[in-house]
Amino acid sequence: MTDNAGFRTSSFNAAGHDTGNKAILGATISNENDTEYAHVIDIALAQPVAPRFVAAKLVANFAYTPDMTNLLTQPDSLVAKVATTLRTTNWDLRAAMRTLLSSDEFRTG
């Protein structure tokens, strides 16, 4: 589905929903019907590599293609800076973009 502006939208389909417990990335969530997705997002964003993965996507889209061989232990320097901003600002994308766009790596990249 899309809205009037062309953005994708979603809706909850109770008839197609699995009401059982689900194991996701080592965590178990119980049935929460139409609010279950929020727990899935929280679990995904709690993964140690999540800020670096999102940061790498931002760098790739706005600066240059970073080395993504090992984001967890050896991230590109700009990816690491943007990821730190994401982690320390509770996923504030505006702050992350400010870090990206004002970095030396962005200007010289």
Side-chain angles (χ1 to χ4, degrees):
M1 265 190 277
T2 58
D3 65 10
N4 291 339
F7 294 103
R8 292 182 191 175
T9 61
S10 62
S11 61
F12 180 70
N13 177 1
H17 179 67
D18 175 2
T19 59
N21 290 341
K22 291 130 190 107
I24 300 170
L25 297 170
T28 301
I29 57 173
S30 58
N31 181 37
E32 296 178 26
N33 294 314
D34 62 337
T35 61
E36 208 168 271
Y37 74 94
H39 286 271
V40 174
I41 292 169
D42 289 343
I43 291 166
L45 294 181
Q47 298 303 305
V49 76
R52 291 184 178 176
F53 179 79
V54 172
K57 293 298 186 174
L58 290 172
V59 170
N61 279 284
F62 293 100
Y64 55 84
T65 305
D67 179 13
M68 295 183 62
T69 306
N70 193 338
L71 288 176
L72 189 57
T73 61
Q74 296 176 335
D76 171 271
S77 63
L78 182 53
V79 168
K81 287 178 185 179
V82 174
T84 297
T85 300
L86 287 169
R87 190 175 55 256
T88 59
T89 63
N90 195 28
W91 294 91
D92 183 339
L93 289 175
R94 181 181 294 165
M97 287 303 297
R98 188 175 301 114
T99 297
L100 190 155
L101 297 173
S102 64
S103 72
D104 289 337
E105 294 91 340
F106 177 75
R107 290 189 299 275
T108 61

